Amino acid sequence: MSKAKNSGRTVGASRTGKGKSNISVARAKAPNFGEVIRAKRRELDLTQDEVAAQISTSTPYVGHLESGKRHPSDKVVTKLAEVLGIGNRELFLLANPHAEALFATEPVRGGGSAWEQFQKDENLRRIHNVSGAEFAILSQVSLLGEVQSTRDLIYILQTIRHAVGK
């Protein structure tokens, strides 16, 4: 059997059944956005046509999302989360894995509350284009109870933006 040239990887190992490549093992541990929505759609016994109709898009677009050929807008992520019964935050972070690095992964320590940290972090507000009106709304939200991290404030901001159609 000859081995095909495939970007520096050999394809022979996966055909022998002796082991999986590191790539497939990594995927098994952390499914991507498309894999999650496909699995949930199938679990709910929905077709791509049915999902497309429920989120007001085309069937091919749903297929492209599932295969990773297209990236969803925040509005589509919100609609998919609702239709498929997946947490909005979880689906948003799956659709935007790079966003995880922008947020603190642990509750704020030492430097005051998450709101105080958010107020001081001009760079974070600039990255997320937080307007004065949005800042005022988040100020009111912070009065409702303890927010654990600045990441949670950004999530709240994104949710507000989705609600008002931004």
Side-chain angles (χ1 to χ4, degrees), residues 84-112:
L84 300 176
I86 300 172
N88 207 10
R89 179 183 191 147
E90 174 188 355
L91 202 56
F92 173 80
L93 290 173
L94 279 171
N96 301 285
H98 60 280
E100 190 91 33
L102 298 175
F103 306 118
T105 57
E106 299 175 7
V108 176
R109 292 179 272 159

Side-chain angles (χ1 to χ4, degrees), residues 65-99:
L65 290 174
E66 289 183 358
S67 66
K69 293 179 181 174
R70 296 288 306 270
H71 186 269
S73 68
D74 292 340
K75 197 172 197 175
V76 168
V77 170
T78 301
K79 288 180 180 181
L80 278 170
E82 184 178 315
V83 168
L84 300 176
I86 300 172
N88 207 10
R89 179 183 191 147
E90 174 188 355
L91 202 56
F92 173 80
L93 290 173
L94 279 171
N96 301 285
H98 60 280

